[in-house]
Amino acid sequence: VQLVESGGGLVQVGGSLRLSCAARGLTFNINPMAWYRQAPGKQRELVAAISVSSVSETPTYADSVKGRFTISRDSAKTTWSLQMNSLKPEDTAVYYCKAEQWRLGSRYDFWGQGTQVTVSS
């Protein structure tokens, strides 16, 4: 599975950006899908994740982004996005998408290449 990210860039405080992640290759049983970020000198942290079952979708968010960021995925479950509103300087980081895939009882993790988000004040 290859994850291809798009949508990063430079934005002013209070602005918005939308990140997208497309899974290519053997895209079956990808669940959950998530976004992480890593700021300079800091550990990578979970920003948002979405877990999909046959009856519901369950998004989770880091406290620091609740009410500002929204994670969503397409119906084919191979592309997911992160809508980021009311951006703050502390949101500046490299953002990575991540997918978990189950094959024959084993879990495999895949990461995107990362996309830079810079919020200027």
Side-chain angles (χ1 to χ4, degrees), residues 101-113:
Q101 185 180 50
W102 290 87
R103 302 177 192 172
L104 300 176
S106 296
R107 195 190 89 185
Y108 297 84
D109 292 347
F110 299 94
W111 292 88
Q113 79 278 12

Side-chain angles (χ1 to χ4, degrees), residues 87-102:
L87 283 162
K88 305 175 180 180
E90 51 264 42
D91 295 318
T92 295
V94 178
Y95 284 71
Y96 300 88
C97 61
K98 179 192 174 186
E100 295 180 11
Q101 185 180 50
W102 290 87

Side-chain angles (χ1 to χ4, degrees), residues 19-111:
L19 306 182
S20 292
C21 182
R24 299 175 180 173
L26 298 176
T27 58
F28 59 91
N29 290 344
I30 292 178
N31 192 37
M33 309 148 205
W35 288 95
Y36 286 71
R37 68 186 180 188
Q38 188 167 19
K42 295 187 177 181
Q43 289 188 336
R44 191 172 296 188
E45 63 174 354
L46 176 66
V47 176
I50 185 164
S51 179
V52 181
S53 72
S54 59
V55 295
S56 66
E57 296 181 358
T58 305
T60 56
Y61 299 95
D63 288 342
S64 58
V65 307
K66 282 181 182 177
R68 300 188 298 121
F69 290 12
T70 302
I71 188 171
S72 61
R73 58 93 183 168
D74 70 340
S75 57
K77 303 177 188 178
T78 59
T79 300
W80 55 105
S81 300
L82 186 68
Q83 178 67 41
M84 305 184 293
N85 299 327
S86 303
L87 283 162
K88 305 175 180 180
E90 51 264 42
D91 295 318
T92 295
V94 178
Y95 284 71
Y96 300 88
C97 61
K98 179 192 174 186
E100 295 180 11
Q101 185 180 50
W102 290 87
R103 302 177 192 172
L104 300 176
S106 296
R107 195 190 89 185
Y108 297 84
D109 292 347
F110 299 94
W111 292 88

Side-chain angles (χ1 to χ4, degrees), residues 6-18:
S6 60
L10 174 65
V11 65
Q12 292 188 331
V13 170
S16 297
L17 282 174
R18 184 176 181 89

